[in-house]
Amino acid sequence: MKTIKLKNGSKEIPINKIVCVGRNYVEHIQELGNEQHEKPVIFLKTVTSVIYSGEEIIYPSFSDDMHHETELVLLIGSMVKDAKRIEAEKAIAGYGVGLDMTLRDVQNDLKKKGHPWTIAKCFDTSTMLSDFISSDDYKLTLNETVTLKVNGEVRQNDKLNKMIFNPAQIVEYISSLMTLEEGDLIFTGTPKGVSKVNRGDVLEAQIENVSKLNCKVV
Ligand code: MG
């Protein structure tokens, strides 16, 4: 069973489902030549793809272009359906940093065919998570910086306030499409600077005041 560990507490929360937002930062939409939409792009990842800080990301045999996407991850703490903004805000129980590893070559091929992104997003070890901080212990301001280093070199470095849709808006929107429950995770999209990783690379991701993680690609 995959769980979320909250800092400053013994509580471990089983992960239920993983909902992801795509195209939530303008400069990232531009770097991939994608269109900006009026509503967030939504897709799912599998719980079996989850690994934790200190573990290894295994390069799948069916790709030569695995990218890092560093993201703020929301932990849902209570059931919400058709939430209004304040209820959506209250449903967020914690924050962490995550890597939504993506097979860009596979994804580009799927996009051309109009197929779902599942194969590009759900391979084993494609979802790396940090420990989480409780929203009771830390009030997110969106002035926090999200950073990713590869072998010590900064590749992604942006403020969370560059998000098009903020966390409460994202929870409000997703809860209008499907019920959210305790233990659900929401990946909120990646800022610019996504790039290819290679076997042997060491990745370090951090969101200021929230959490950090590190891992190696093998
Ligand atoms: Mg992503």
Side-chain angles (χ1 to χ4, degrees):
M1 185 177 58
K2 307 282 184 172
T3 60
I4 291 298
K5 293 160 200 82
L6 279 174
K7 293 182 195 177
N8 305 329
S10 55
K11 204 174 173 192
E12 281 197 38
I13 299 160
I15 301 172
N16 192 39
K17 63 177 171 289
I18 306 170
V19 188
C20 303
V21 173
R23 304 180 193 172
N24 199 22
Y25 290 79
V26 172
E27 290 162 313
H28 171 63
I29 295 171
Q30 290 166 347
E31 74 182 347
L32 292 185
N34 286 321
E35 274 177 46
Q36 193 175 334
H37 299 272
E38 275 177 35
K39 289 178 177 165
V41 173
I42 303 294
F43 62 95
L44 299 173
K45 287 181 75 112
T46 48
V47 178
T48 47
S49 71
V50 168
I51 55 171
Y52 302 98
S53 183
E55 296 189 321
E56 292 176 336
I57 296 173
I58 300 166
Y59 222 114
S61 59
F62 48 92
S63 173
D64 287 315
D65 196 17
M66 177 161 57
H67 279 202
H68 53 78
E69 296 190 357
T70 314
E71 312 197 8
L72 171 71
V73 185
L74 313 176
L75 170 65
I76 298 297
S78 55
M79 195 186 87
V80 275
K81 168 79 181 156
D82 294 324
K84 295 279 179 280
R85 193 69 50 90
I86 291 171
E87 194 188 350
E89 184 97 56
K90 279 188 191 156
I92 302 170
Y95 305 98
V97 58
L99 294 178
D100 166 23
M101 300 305 290
T102 302
L103 308 177
R104 198 68 69 201
D105 47 355
V106 174
Q107 187 190 33
N108 287 338
D109 194 39
L110 294 166
K111 276 181 177 170
K112 271 187 223 146
K113 292 176 181 161
H115 289 182
W117 300 351
T118 310
I119 303 167
K121 292 284 192 180
C122 297
F123 56 97
D124 291 349
T125 74
S126 66
T127 307
M128 154 99 21
L129 294 172
S130 69
D131 286 346
F132 278 53
I133 190 161
S134 159
S135 54
D136 291 333
D137 293 339
Y138 183 69
K139 174 120 182 62
L140 198 72
T141 64
L142 299 184
N143 281 317
E144 296 83 358
T145 303
V146 50
T147 310
L148 178 86
K149 290 181 189 173
V150 180
N151 303 325
E153 175 194 309
V154 176
R155 297 268 181 95
Q156 296 190 274
N157 187 46
D158 256 313
K159 293 277 189 190
L160 292 177
N161 61 19
K162 287 196 174 174
M163 280 194 260
I164 299 168
F165 303 100
N166 70 36
Q169 287 173 311
I170 289 168
V171 172
E172 184 182 7
Y173 177 62
I174 295 172
S175 84
S176 75
L177 307 172
M178 64 186 88
T179 300
L180 290 170
E181 296 179 295
E182 182 181 17
D184 286 349
L185 298 180
I186 300 176
F187 275 68
T188 58
T190 192
K192 68 177 186 299
V194 300
S195 64
K196 181 180 174 174
V197 298
N198 296 299
R199 288 181 181 87
D201 283 349
V202 173
L203 313 187
E204 297 165 85
Q206 180 164 17
I207 295 177
E208 190 185 358
N209 301 331
V210 172
S211 201
K212 60 185 176 182
L213 62 79
N214 66 81
C215 58
K216 190 174 177 186
V217 180
V218 297

